[in-house]
Amino acid sequence: MKTLIVLLLFISIAFHVRAQDAKMDTFINTLMGKMTVDEKIGQLNLTTAGAFVTGSAVNDKLQQKLKSGQIGGMLNGFSVPSMKAFQDIAVKESPNHIPLLFGMDVIHGYKTIFPIPLAMSCLWDMTLVEKSARIAAQEATANGISWTYSPMVDIARDPRWGRIAEGAGEDPWLGSQIAKALVKGYQGNDLSLNNTMMACVKHFALYGAAEAGRDYNTVDMSRVTMYNDYLPPYKAAFDAGAGSAMTSFNVVDGVPATGNHWLLTELLRNQWGFKGFVVTDYTATNEMINHGLGDLQTVSALALKAGTDMDMVGEGFLTTLKKSMDEGKVNIKDIDLACKRVLEAKYKLGLFDDPYRYMNEERAKTDVMTPENLKAAREIAERSMVLLKNDKQILPLKKSGTIAVIGPLGNSKGDMLGTWAMGGDQSNVTSVMDGIKNAAGSSVKVLYAKGSDFTDNLQLAKSVNAFARPGQPQASEPVKTSEQLLNEAIQTAKQADVIVAVLGEPAAWSGEASSMTDIGIQKVQQALLKGLLATGKPVVLVLINGRPLTLPWENENVSAILEAWAGGTEAGNAVADILFGDFNPSGKLTTTFPLNVGQIPIYYNHKNTGRPMSANNKFSSKYLDSPSEPLFPFGYGLSYSNFDYSDIKLSKTQLKGNEKLMATVTLTNTGKVAGEEVVLLYIQDPAASISRPVKELKNFKKVMLQPGEKKEVNIEVTTSDLMFYNSDLKYDWEAGDFVIYIGTNSRDVKSAKVNWVK
Ligand code: BGC
């Protein structure tokens, strides 16, 4: 009976979806029947509303273009009245009254800014990841935005690449979970609601593998690596229903993604069944000229025929497609298909019913920066921070005595917002110093000194103010010498019982076009740290940054280190909650922290090689001048509690076919405070038809334990956890032995073996 009801429900949903699709088809076919070729091409043109561009934009005679139907969508519109004015022209004055689609990079919050995505991946909590996207959608849709250029799901194994800040780190399984959660958060169950927005999965594909971590650089990888390690998060986002995709700047197999038919049509649409629309990245069509693929007309035709539907700001489509059609280089079917996909997106968002659906000045006042949103931002920030070291139990700090907050990031607000926080206003941000003052109240005296500039590298210093933030005063030239700043800081530090040194990177040093060859703490900041340590006072190092840093010296010399990232609007309060023990840290790294730049690329799920690293064997895979192990491995993160792992108990050691395995460890909190531990499960397939990684994350569980409490943690393993793409790109599992690892990070694990036959 139950099965019958489920079946009937399923059939009725299927019918409903069919009927909806048929309705949409009829509507769009009728509309397209009235459109000229020029108007159809106009729908493929995405232009900028003016602000925050990452390159030059062709948008002259904007109004004229809107009137003649030459613009399909706009990005980066900021005020509801101005967006309404654009929409007015489109729906009242353009030939077919087609509403505009408004997009923006709402990447980690709109006005309430959450930690940067790399930090949010350290939460290990999909409910909170989804919640951050839900709140972002709620706030952005109140302000005219119904399309966000997120999630960014590029796997990155190179922290020199500044855009590592925008993604979920190095692991394809975790990246896939996060991709799904973000899409769900943005889109909800009904895209036409006035508080859900369409996701755009980017950058398709492989952008994170830019050679040498240099932005926009060449990518070259085998299909096996592509399918197993880089493609899964994109696929997960599309499977979760993401409505659009953005092409990447890089080449894939030698052909730029924007003009790559294999990528955009054979893989994305034919193999994966994607039904949404594809937009280029910013001027990516035009950039194919530099890639060496031909002139603007040639590359624009190439992009369209490859499966690109919308052209972001370069106007290659707008200015050449008609000519290409007249010359027989593209045909009307290609144009129709792209136009239909763009119109379908507008239809699904409900824009034809109400073009002003997302422009509600009332909601723009009431739905933004609400106390609940700020509470979520604080909780998410606390949970994203990773305690890297706490040797002498300096932390948590007591709420008494004098605390000196020292460092160029100690009183910074704008840098807490991180990269891509276009709607963020730094005057709403709590700095670390203010957070400490808020938490400590009148029982603690809080002192502050800047101590140093970000850098003494003049070229690098110029990039510090790349993001002009609302509410941000223009930075003036440093008026004090390094010596003066240092001396002031030492004098301040001497008056304190404990020093909180807040060092790292300003927001502009990570994100797009922010690659670095040196990812350590800059020399001037390190000199400050040395001076502070020399006072003999206890020092806590709080790091604000957007990428893994190299910290060998700091790790050797400082007893307490907190990786706080760019934590968003509530960053300072969240740091203070952790420093004072009001929140017990539980975040864990999702990217490896290398010991030095020479080790890069370094990631936990590497292959074994024929000569695995061995201390006693010269002819093994290692470095002569440096350890081969990273400083902090993937999954690393401490707590104020201590967790003890038992050996692994397996429900079976011999399995067949689709049987399930239960792996169990007993976890004990041997510490003095309640805390949460993320228990990680990895699998290794040590004998297969291709060489497989030494470990691959397959699941995790977050467990809360009171002091002295013990819990059994059960994690199920099924054959789907054993699957991989073999050299024929067939996705299957291969019978044989498997090793199950469970532990607190990717290095410190217990192991057990099973044999699994078909
Ligand atoms: C970035 C994209 C972004 C786009 C629009 C580009 O430069 O690569 O990630 O979505 O600009 O702002």
Side-chain angles (χ1 to χ4, degrees):
M1 186 63 185
K2 213 168 142 196
T3 338
L4 189 68
I5 294 175
V6 172
L7 193 70
L8 286 176
L9 197 71
F10 186 75
I11 293 173
S12 84
I13 292 174
F15 266 116
H16 181 70
V17 171
R18 270 261 193 84
Q20 290 288 96
D21 284 357
K23 210 171 136 206
M24 176 169 79
D25 257 14
T26 313
F27 177 86
I28 289 173
N29 290 339
T30 313
L31 175 60
M32 284 179 60
K34 292 187 268 179
M35 292 168 76
T36 63
V37 176
D38 285 326
E39 285 155 25
K40 288 174 181 170
I41 293 173
Q43 287 302 306
L44 316 186
N45 184 31
L46 176 65
T47 191
T48 172
F52 286 99
V53 293
T54 57
S56 67
V58 185
N59 71 342
D60 55 330
K61 303 193 196 125
L62 200 57
Q63 300 219 352
Q64 191 42 48
K65 283 182 183 152
L66 283 168
K67 277 188 195 165
S68 55
Q70 291 185 312
I71 294 177
M74 283 186 153
L75 71 154
N76 300 339
F78 274 95
S79 76
V80 172
S82 78
M83 289 154 95
K84 263 192 177 154
F86 290 134
Q87 193 70 303
D88 267 347
I89 305 178
V91 298
K92 293 182 186 151
E93 299 182 54
S94 77
N96 282 293
H97 317 292
I98 301 174
L100 295 166
L101 178 61
F102 286 97
M104 189 190 270
D105 293 271
V106 181
I107 308 286
H108 51 114
Y110 180 74
K111 281 263 181 239
T112 303
I113 302 295
F114 297 98
I116 52 166
L118 182 62
M120 275 209 276
S121 69
C122 300
L123 290 169
W124 299 83
D125 185 327
M126 298 313 140
T127 311
L128 284 180
V129 169
E130 184 180 330
K131 188 171 181 180
S132 76
R134 185 84 291 283
I135 291 173
Q138 183 81 20
E139 293 194 354
T141 54
N143 283 280
I145 305 299
S146 55
W147 183 32
T148 179
Y149 306 130
S150 175
M152 186 281 212
V153 299
D154 304 327
I155 293 294
R157 295 169 164 178
D158 193 329
R160 290 172 299 182
W161 191 51
R163 302 200 81 169
I164 199 168
E166 299 175 44
E170 72 192 29
D171 185 67
W173 183 86
L174 182 67
S176 302
Q177 309 307 310
I178 291 174
K180 274 192 263 181
L182 288 171
V183 171
K184 237 170 114 192
Y186 293 133
Q187 297 197 161
N189 295 323
D190 181 355
L191 261 185
S192 71
L193 296 181
N194 72 355
N195 64 0
T196 53
M197 61 183 173
M198 187 174 276
C200 183
V201 181
K202 71 186 192 187
H203 305 82
F204 196 61
L206 319 180
Y207 187 20
E211 280 180 1
R214 183 159 53 79
D215 210 359
Y216 317 120
N217 204 6
T218 300
V219 170
D220 197 3
M221 73 171 67
S222 71
R223 285 280 160 101
V224 162
T225 298
M226 201 187 284
Y227 273 73
N228 283 310
D229 301 339
Y230 282 80
L231 293 180
Y234 304 105
K235 180 156 191 311
F238 295 124
D239 288 348
S244 67
M246 186 187 292
T247 65
S248 56
F249 288 125
N250 52 280
V251 294
V252 173
D253 288 335
V255 180
T258 305
N260 194 313
H261 187 267
W262 173 78
L263 186 71
L264 302 181
T265 296
E266 284 170 49
L267 178 71
L268 180 60
R269 297 190 189 278
N270 300 350
Q271 286 183 36
W272 291 358
F274 175 64
K275 299 267 185 294
F277 77 103
V278 175
V279 64
T280 70
D281 201 346
Y282 208 98
T283 59
T285 307
N286 315 53
E287 290 171 26
M288 285 198 278
I289 303 170
N290 283 341
H291 277 290
L293 275 282
D295 61 13
L296 188 61
Q297 185 185 352
T298 309
V299 295
S300 301
L302 183 69
L304 183 76
K305 290 191 90 67
T308 294
D309 304 305
M310 200 176 212
D311 184 16
M312 192 191 287
V313 306
E315 300 202 340
F317 279 8
L318 189 74
T319 55
T320 70
L321 282 189
K322 180 81 182 303
K323 184 162 183 269
S324 290
M325 195 185 92
D326 294 343
E327 292 170 4
K329 292 176 179 150
V330 303
N331 63 48
I332 187 66
K333 278 202 187 128
D334 303 318
I335 296 171
D336 277 348
L337 194 57
C339 177
K340 184 159 189 255
R341 289 177 185 143
V342 171
L343 294 176
E344 279 176 357
K346 296 182 178 185
Y347 185 95
K348 287 178 193 156
L349 286 163
L351 289 168
F352 287 106
D353 288 337
D354 177 6
Y356 305 97
R357 169 161 295 187
Y358 303 96
M359 298 173 187
N360 182 329
E361 274 150 316
E362 233 0 83
R363 263 188 66 207
K365 284 181 212 137
T366 55
D367 285 20
V368 166
M369 302 274 291
T370 62
E372 304 90 81
N373 294 2
L374 292 172
K375 187 166 164 246
R378 182 163 177 166
E379 182 185 2
I380 289 173
E382 286 168 355
R383 290 175 175 277
S384 73
M385 295 178 183
V386 183
L387 183 64
L388 296 176
K389 196 175 171 198
N390 191 22
D391 263 11
K392 296 183 184 144
Q393 314 301 307
I394 295 179
L395 292 174
L397 302 177
K398 291 188 202 69
K399 285 185 184 168
S400 62
T402 303
I403 298 178
V405 178
I406 304 218
L409 287 150
N411 196 25
S412 169
K413 289 171 177 250
D415 294 304
M416 304 298 124
L417 296 176
T419 185
W420 287 129
M422 303 201 293
D425 181 339
Q426 74 151 358
S427 48
N428 297 321
V429 173
T430 315
S431 70
V432 173
M433 183 184 72
D434 288 340
I436 290 177
K437 282 186 179 164
N438 292 344
S442 55
S443 52
V444 178
K445 190 167 170 201
V446 181
L447 308 174
Y448 166 75
K450 184 177 169 195
S452 80
D453 290 313
F454 288 117
T455 181
D456 55 5
N457 171 336
L458 291 181
Q459 189 189 335
L460 184 58
K462 282 191 200 139
S463 65
V464 168
N465 294 309
F467 298 132
R469 304 261 187 224
Q472 182 174 344
Q474 271 309 305
S476 47
E477 288 299 305
V479 284
K480 291 179 182 161
T481 65
S482 298
E483 288 70 36
Q484 284 169 323
L485 287 170
L486 181 63
N487 284 338
E488 261 175 30
I490 303 298
Q491 292 320 312
T492 309
K494 281 184 178 159
Q495 300 164 46
D497 301 304
V498 58
I499 301 164
V500 176
V502 194
L503 309 180
E505 301 179 316
W509 287 1
S510 61
E512 188 172 349
S514 301
S515 297
M516 294 272 225
T517 62
D518 177 358
I519 56 168
I521 300 287
Q522 289 288 310
K523 274 199 303 261
V524 272
Q525 295 191 51
Q526 214 174 55
L528 168 64
L529 188 58
K530 283 181 187 159
L532 297 175
L533 288 165
T535 63
K537 308 264 178 182
V539 176
V540 179
L541 173 58
V542 173
L543 294 167
I544 306 291
N545 49 284
R547 55 156 61 76
L549 301 174
T550 48
L551 303 161
W553 189 89
E554 292 76 6
N555 185 49
E556 212 146 275
N557 292 284
V558 187
S559 307
I561 308 179
L562 176 69
E563 175 53 81
W565 310 109
T569 310
E570 287 290 310
N573 288 326
V575 167
D577 287 341
I578 292 181
L579 294 184
F580 290 117
D582 295 329
F583 179 78
N584 185 358
S586 58
K588 289 192 171 188
L589 300 179
T590 57
T591 38
T592 304
F593 273 43
L595 192 63
N596 54 54
V597 174
Q599 291 181 326
I600 298 170
I602 183 166
Y603 46 94
Y604 86 95
N605 47 353
H606 60 86
K607 311 234 169 30
N608 211 19
T609 80
R611 297 183 178 195
M613 195 234 322
S614 146
N616 314 322
N617 182 0
K618 171 172 167 55
F619 295 97
S620 69
S621 183
K622 62 180 180 185
Y623 298 106
L624 285 181
D625 62 341
S626 155
S628 300
E629 294 297 337
L631 183 58
F632 299 115
F634 174 89
Y636 186 83
L638 305 174
S639 157
Y640 296 147
S641 313
N642 294 309
F643 298 104
D644 178 71
Y645 281 72
S646 73
D647 286 336
I648 302 174
K649 254 189 353 217
L650 296 179
S651 58
K652 294 176 179 175
T653 52
Q654 179 66 55
L655 290 103
K656 190 169 168 31
N658 279 338
E659 282 180 349
K660 288 174 179 168
L661 171 70
M662 188 60 81
T664 305
V665 288
T666 305
L667 187 71
T668 313
N669 180 354
T670 59
K672 293 195 179 72
V673 287
E676 267 183 312
E677 165 73 343
V678 182
V679 176
L680 304 164
L681 180 137
Y682 305 85
I683 286 182
Q684 184 191 10
D685 186 350
S689 61
I690 59 170
S691 183
R692 304 286 298 125
V694 293
K695 271 184 203 102
E696 285 182 295
L697 180 74
K698 291 296 169 186
N699 212 336
F700 70 89
K701 282 233 167 116
K702 212 172 204 184
V703 187
M704 178 75 188
L705 288 179
Q706 297 303 315
E709 194 184 350
K710 243 186 221 280
K711 260 187 202 163
E712 279 207 339
V713 183
N714 299 303
I715 308 184
E716 193 176 80
V717 180
T718 69
T719 50
S720 65
D721 299 317
L722 312 178
M723 313 262 274
F724 63 95
Y725 290 91
N726 67 16
S727 47
D728 297 325
L729 301 181
K730 190 168 162 250
Y731 193 58
D732 202 356
W733 62 283
E734 296 176 359
D737 290 338
F738 297 90
V739 189
I740 311 292
Y741 297 97
I742 299 184
T744 184
N745 58 53
S746 58
R747 182 190 59 204
D748 304 313
V749 287
K750 304 278 185 178
S751 68
K753 277 193 184 143
V754 289
N755 181 272
W756 213 314
V757 295
K758 290 247 171 177

